[in-house]
Amino acid sequence: MMRVATIALVLASGALSQAFQEQAPLFSAPNQAPAVLGSSADAPSYRTDLLRLHKSLVSTSSTPGTEHDVGVFLIDYLNERGYKTQRQPIASTENTPEGKPRFNVLAFPPGSTGADPKVLVTSHIDVVPPHIPYGIEDGDVTDETRIWGRGSVDAKGSVAAMVTALESLLKADKVDVSKLMLLFVVGEEVSGDGMKTFSDAIANKKLPYAFDSVIFGEPTENKLACGHKGGLFCDITTKGIPGHSGYPWVGKSANELMIRAFAKILDTDLGSSEEYGNTTVNVGLFQGGLAANVIPETAFVKMAARVAIGTEKTGAWIVRDKVQAIFDEIDKEAFSMVCTHGYGFVASNCDVEDFETIVVNYGTDMPNFEGDHTRYLYGPGNILVAHGANENLTVAELETAVEGYQKLILHALKQ
């Protein structure tokens, strides 16, 4: 019974992956009367600017490879407010439109020379597909007004709150502008190529920065994250021997080998820790075989493991070796595994007053930015809705994030 249930789980995982690839909105925005911004008597002074910025970001489609338009909008928005901005070119992908190159957005507050920033405030401007239009509940805007759309949580909510937080601090003259820098990267949802390019440019002295602290924006429910699980991302191929399905003993089923292996992998403790729980495995894509009456010659799986052990540099490879040992036990000659990237659990600083804390299971750009700096991970929204058709958050969550980012920026500047 355990074997049958586990096999069903493996096959269901593949089906769910295919469904996600074809995901479309499960709803459409209602016919809306224009929302009245800042109508609550207790609304913060920045509410209108925050919600307008958030709407513009979410309304601009920016799936990985097609981030050009949202980058242009953000540069124009910041330039209009006196920021000094730069574009850092990022390599195109297969789906990048001609004439719309990809780039990271680097920005320095008004009055800054950009010579020696010490605190970096960063998030990503790409989102998972498909684009889901912006929507907001009808009527006057209150704390509980709900906003939806792709990126409303992950991570354009963080981008809008970060910019608004810094703007508020600048207006109150609470920060040394020379010590601050904004960075909004592309490609986080796929390979992290935007942050990796920025990191490499610093390591190779193409960019002259050395940061003491980096504040990363991701949906953490407005709790300060103490860290997140690592990741291991692999492609696995199984080679069998084709034949007639009525005579299975004359061939070797690649599908059966793959199912047997992952049934054992899913039941095996691949590594656990008190802080991060168990290492988990997702069979995100399963392909194999030609027809019901043919013994499958090949099978292919895309696997993602969420790694609960460390160190950051070694944890993923410990898990990889345990998975490889299972493949070897099932059939040493049939399996080949190529892991594109991986890392162990990633720690961040959560020792800041007045913040609830959390540990999250998803990956971020934190391990893609190498260096000897203190890391903070924080942002509005819940990851459980972030990649779904009902991605949404409330006005209160956005505004709480503005206040949280202000506290983190001031804290980081004092360290």
Side-chain angles (χ1 to χ4, degrees), residues 2-11 236 238 248-249 251-268 281 283 286 299 301 322-332 334-335:
M2 175 62 74
R3 175 176 175 271
V4 172
T6 309
I7 290 172
L9 176 61
V10 172
L11 293 175
I236 300 100
T238 309
W249 55 86
K252 181 193 290 187
S253 170
N255 282 1
E256 183 176 341
L257 290 172
M258 191 74 82
I259 290 171
R260 288 181 182 277
F262 272 96
K264 185 159 189 176
I265 289 168
L266 291 169
D267 284 341
T268 298
V281 171
V283 181
F286 191 130
V301 158
K322 291 183 177 183
V323 171
Q324 183 64 59
I326 292 172
F327 290 148
D328 292 346
E329 179 184 338
I330 299 295
D331 190 320
K332 195 166 187 177
F335 291 88

Side-chain angles (χ1 to χ4, degrees), residues 99-283:
K100 291 194 171 185
R102 305 171 69 217
F103 55 87
N104 292 335
V105 176
L106 285 62
F108 304 89
S112 171
T113 63
D116 189 31
K118 292 302 179 184
V119 175
L120 179 67
V121 182
T122 182
S123 189
H124 61 94
I125 53 176
D126 65 308
V127 299
V128 297
H131 175 65
I132 299 175
Y134 176 93
I136 186 169
E137 289 183 330
D138 294 347
D140 290 352
V141 173
T142 70
D143 291 351
E144 299 308 311
T145 297
R146 194 161 295 277
I147 301 169
W148 62 88
R150 179 59 80 231
S152 56
V153 170
D154 188 10
K156 292 174 179 178
S158 288
V159 175
M162 285 174 160
V163 172
T164 304
L166 183 51
E167 283 285 278
S168 296
L169 291 173
L170 294 174
K171 289 177 182 177
D173 196 24
K174 291 184 176 181
V175 292
D176 180 350
V177 296
S178 69
K179 301 302 180 185
L180 289 166
M181 177 178 168
L182 294 173
L183 170 67
F184 300 116
V185 300
V186 300
E188 189 273 346
E189 295 289 1
V190 178
S191 64
D193 57 350
M195 186 61 80
K196 289 176 182 176
T197 299
F198 182 77
S199 179
D200 290 345
I202 291 178
N204 297 329
K205 307 300 183 183
K206 294 180 180 178
L207 290 174
Y209 310 130
F211 299 104
D212 294 332
S213 301
V214 181
I215 300 169
F216 293 86
E218 291 282 0
T220 66
E221 305 170 39
N222 284 324
K223 299 174 184 178
L224 192 56
C226 300
H228 64 74
K229 281 185 174 180
L232 177 67
F233 304 89
C234 305
D235 296 342
I236 300 100
T237 302
T238 309
K239 295 293 185 182
I241 300 173
H244 194 291
S245 64
Y247 303 86
W249 55 86
V250 302
K252 181 193 290 187
S253 170
N255 282 1
E256 183 176 341
L257 290 172
M258 191 74 82
I259 290 171
R260 288 181 182 277
F262 272 96
K264 185 159 189 176
I265 289 168
L266 291 169
D267 284 341
T268 298
D269 182 359
L270 299 175
S272 58
S273 62
E274 184 177 346
E275 297 88 352
Y276 297 95
N278 298 323
T279 295
T280 59
V281 171
N282 180 55
V283 181

